[in-house]
Amino acid sequence: MRCRVFERILIANRGEIARRIIKTCARLGIGTVAIYSQADARSPHVEEADDAAFIGPPVATESYLNREKIIEAAISFGCRAVHPGYGFLSENAEFARMVEQSGLAFIGPSPEAIALLGDKIASRELALKAGVPVVPGTQEPIAGVDEAIVVAEQIGFPMLLKPAAGGGGRGMRVVREKDELASALEAARDETRKGFADDRIFIERYVERPRHIEIQIMADTFGNVVYLGERECSVQRRYQKVIEETPSPAVDEPLRRHMGETACELARAAGYAGAGTVEFILDPAGNFYFLEMNTRLQVEHPVTEEVTGLDLVELQIRVAAGEPLALRQADVSLNGWAIEARICAEDPSRGSFPTTGIVTRFAMPRGTGVRVDSGIRAGSLVTIYYDSLLAKVIAHGETRIDAIRRLSKALNGCHIEGFATTVDFANAVVNHPAFVAGDLSTHFLEEHFQDGESKIPPREEDLRLLSIAVVLVYHTRQSLVRESLREASPRVGAGEEARVHHYVVNVDAHVFEVEMEADFSGGVWYGTVGEFSYKVVTPKFEYYRRRLKLNINGTSHTFRLQYEENHIRAFYCGIVRTFEVYTPREWALAHHMIRERVEVLENFLKCPMPGLVTAVSVAPGDYVRRGQELLRIESMKMETAIASFRDGEIDRVLVQPKQAVDTDEILLTFKGS
């Protein structure tokens, strides 16, 4: 149905959420105005909107956070409303107030509700009054270390230092011992002051191995509030979500109803209208506690849309236009299972540090039950100025296992090159046995992964499938080489090509003997990997842009492969390995060669990511210990402490605060041993 109240909306955001809002507006017949900074001049959301307004340089404070300029653009383009998306100004009460005072509608809750629920202390007090269970802790911000020690004696360790303002985990610190308290409090205050201009900190008891469960609610201005099921968001790193799903494998219908009704009560107590998410932690005993309420659309809203069939952006717009909700709680039904993987410009092997660069290759999966929300394309420039989120891949299935399999296959088909991303890391997570079993907590990644790699080895069956794919690509390439040589000199390689081909594949200390026999009439290969037999159907042998699709024993598989010097790097179901392929004769010679690795203690510290130096904690002549903080770097809205990788005396410090740095740039040097 067409929404006639808002003829034109300005979208005060960028990237994939801006494109997502544009899509709904186009369906509703609403015109859209995008905003863009200098860094986003060629971004897809700018082209897809009906109009676009340039708002400033790349730095967010001078563009996407410039409230006056955004409102001025909305008025000049004849907009009737502003949609803030998520992040940036979406939970800024003053911005919402300015929008309303300018005569525009803010597509979100009232400024008063944003201010109330955005303050973690005020929202905690509201939750207590509304009868919502909360984690034991302070009701007021703590004054200093002495008061924190007194609180610690009352509630015990471990405890959580939690900023009163902001979100996304910024400024949060877990403290397990008294000796850690002073430094953790200083760091928490420093980070939240820089991020939100507010250094108030309060304390909660830290619940061990909790699940992170959130309830999506929708409310109108007539007092109607409904909950749209829950989302499991336990798989996190640095309080940032990696995988989200609905429903949760830990929530049954009675618990869902209890948590949903509790979330609705909180929304009513706050006088809330619009889309919102009430976040809880669920302990191993099944008790849930209020964390906070996000007064905006969530990044992970697509999974809720997939199982409910609702368009949350449309509901937001209609509520902001003054329409009552057209659904009641009894109308809400959850159909099937949906799981979302966030694809970010981060390097999991290097502590999930942000990465930047130009997207040189970009291909996203398609198919039944697969949805992709993306903010980039080939040629897009990913910078240090904004969030690292590139795309979201969502899979919907009848059961959780169906959704996992569909998501893994979709991730196998994701192809982003130009810098490191989390595509394969996300795929490794959803294929991990503990994830498949639904054994989740907010400690999932630290328990099961290290340096972006699963702590358990890959299944041998998956390595065998990869060996088949690698051998076919290797053999095809070698055949093309031989054919070109024959064309150049007919005497080279004369004679009929053999039908059976033998290779030896070496990977991860596994040595597979691979035999492939070609049936040239039907594009079929019959192969063996050790004792296991496979039928591989490749009618066209589609190896397109480093992606290979094979039907193996009746099941379709997608692999990504690329040559790496004399070997092949292969990607499948989160497994990333370099495969060595030999003929039997080559292997007889090669496997006798022993390579020794000599570790050299380097005397310099390289920058792990692009960013801006915010603090330097050492000077030449200082002696530091392994693990001691040396400096801090801010990138993509996250500040990271860089620790020393060794004991030693500082020789030279080559950077200073406010200096931009790049990956692998030398930051400081140690005196030689």
Side-chain angles (χ1 to χ4, degrees), residues 174-219:
V174 177
V175 182
R176 298 188 176 278
E177 298 179 0
K178 182 178 178 181
D179 293 343
E180 302 173 0
L181 191 51
S183 60
L185 180 58
E186 180 183 358
R189 278 183 163 165
D190 186 49
E191 187 171 345
T192 191
R193 185 188 302 114
K194 290 178 180 177
F196 309 108
D198 186 337
D199 65 356
R200 294 175 299 154
I201 302 291
F202 70 98
I203 295 176
E204 287 182 354
R205 187 176 69 201
Y206 183 67
V207 180
E208 295 281 10
R209 297 198 83 252
R211 288 178 180 260
H212 185 131
I213 308 293
E214 59 188 31
I215 301 292
Q216 175 71 61
I217 66 104
M218 185 63 68

Side-chain angles (χ1 to χ4, degrees), residues 435-487:
F435 182 88
V436 174
D439 183 13
L440 307 177
S441 80
T442 55
H443 301 295
F444 181 88
L445 293 182
E446 62 191 70
E447 290 175 352
H448 299 293
F449 286 80
Q450 184 172 3
D451 298 328
E453 280 274 331
S454 173
K455 293 180 181 179
I456 61 174
R459 296 190 314 155
E460 191 168 309
E461 169 66 9
D462 290 335
L463 293 178
R464 288 195 291 268
L465 294 176
L466 278 162
S467 295
I468 290 173
V470 166
V471 163
L472 285 175
V473 169
Y474 180 86
H475 174 76
T476 301
R477 181 171 179 174
Q478 295 302 105
S479 297
L480 291 173
V481 171
R482 287 192 293 271
E483 183 178 334
S484 64
L485 289 173
R486 281 197 295 268
E487 291 177 356

Side-chain angles (χ1 to χ4, degrees), residues 138-149:
T138 59
Q139 297 301 110
E140 299 292 335
I142 56 173
V145 176
D146 292 339
E147 184 180 349
I149 292 173

Side-chain angles (χ1 to χ4, degrees), residues 4 22 54 219 266 275 280 284 429 439 523 562 565 623 625 630:
R4 296 195 177 94
I22 290 169
F54 174 70
L266 181 66
F280 298 99
V429 171
D439 183 13
Q562 62 188 59
E565 296 178 349
Y623 190 88
R625 297 289 185 184
L630 302 177

Side-chain angles (χ1 to χ4, degrees), residues 272-294:
Y272 195 88
T277 301
V278 183
E279 301 196 349
F280 298 99
I281 55 174
L282 181 69
D283 70 17
N287 304 304
F288 66 90
Y289 305 96
F290 172 71
L291 268 180
E292 61 183 354
M293 183 170 181
N294 291 309

